[in-house]
Amino acid sequence: MYRERPAGFAGAVLWTSDTAAGAAPTRVLPDGCVDLLWSSRRGLTVAGPDRTAHLSGGGPAERWVGLRLPPGTGRAVLGVPAVELRDRRVPLAELWGERDVARLAERAETAPAEVLTEIAVGRLRAAGGPDPLGARVTAALAAGASVAATAAGTGLDPRALHRRCRDLFGYGPKTLARILRMGRALALARAGTPLAEVAARCGYADQAHLTRDVRDLAGVPPTALLPR
């Protein structure tokens, strides 16, 4: 059972998931985000930005509570470059130390959603908020702007934009653009838009290009990710 709702600040999503023992693994698609997590088995952890789908579950029964941070926000909350967390699941204590995290973990046992939100809000406040470049780049690429146009719009040369994106998102703008485009395409397809039209509207060369790109990022073709 999976549920989600808006969290305590703009763009953040609080979600919960309860998996039964031996349940089929869940395919978690890359989305440009970093998640703060609490697990009934693993405690406080961090899910870094993925480049391809991550398969979660398939083991003992487990309850998860997660706070999905908006793209580009994880750097300010966690205090480390996003590229250091790319394609990784890391105990929070590995980043902040056992002593500080132990106190948070104890409270999270009874109120995980509140603790995760408190952590993120407090860390963002202390950092003076997220780097505004993250939201600007995300908005431009999500709207279909090219990497060159995005760089020009931010006043950065392409190499500087690439470095900043690795720090904020965990990968360069080209990878982020592909991931955001896949998200747009799947949203349209799940709403009933035919895949050929989805491909045209999202800037793919054709439906075959859409299928190849989704398979590369998600591990399965788009038809496997649509309601049946």
Side-chain angles (χ1 to χ4, degrees), residues 46-144:
V46 175
D50 291 322
R51 288 175 291 182
T52 56
H54 173 78
L55 294 179
S56 176
E62 192 166 9
R63 175 171 172 76
W64 289 92
V65 179
L67 181 65
R68 186 177 307 125
L69 303 171
T73 306
R75 176 68 169 94
V77 172
L78 298 172
V80 298
V83 70
E84 295 184 10
L85 303 171
R86 188 176 64 195
D87 300 325
R88 299 177 63 200
R89 275 40 182 179
V90 180
L92 188 60
E94 185 176 314
L95 304 180
W96 293 354
E98 295 284 352
R99 179 179 298 179
D100 289 341
V101 173
R103 292 193 293 268
L104 295 169
E106 184 176 357
R107 293 174 50 218
E109 290 293 326
T110 55
E114 289 80 356
V115 170
L116 294 176
T117 302
E118 178 186 307
I119 289 171
V121 170
R123 298 278 296 193
L124 279 174
R125 185 181 298 117
D131 188 330
L133 180 68
R136 292 176 63 190
V137 169
T138 301
L141 295 177

Side-chain angles (χ1 to χ4, degrees), residues 8-75:
F9 55 97
V13 174
L14 193 65
W15 58 268
T16 59
S17 176
D18 295 280
T19 57
T26 299
R27 187 175 300 273
V28 182
L29 302 183
D31 56 9
C33 299
V34 171
D35 287 45
L36 272 174
L37 306 172
W38 174 83
S39 156
S40 58
R41 294 181 55 238
R42 310 176 206 200
L44 292 170
T45 62
V46 175
D50 291 322
R51 288 175 291 182
T52 56
H54 173 78
L55 294 179
S56 176
E62 192 166 9
R63 175 171 172 76
W64 289 92
V65 179
L67 181 65
R68 186 177 307 125
L69 303 171
T73 306
R75 176 68 169 94

Side-chain angles (χ1 to χ4, degrees), residues 51 72 88 104 131 144 146 162 164 190 197:
R51 288 175 291 182
R88 299 177 63 200
L104 295 169
D131 188 330
S146 67
H162 186 83
R164 295 286 297 279
R190 287 165 177 160
E197 183 179 343

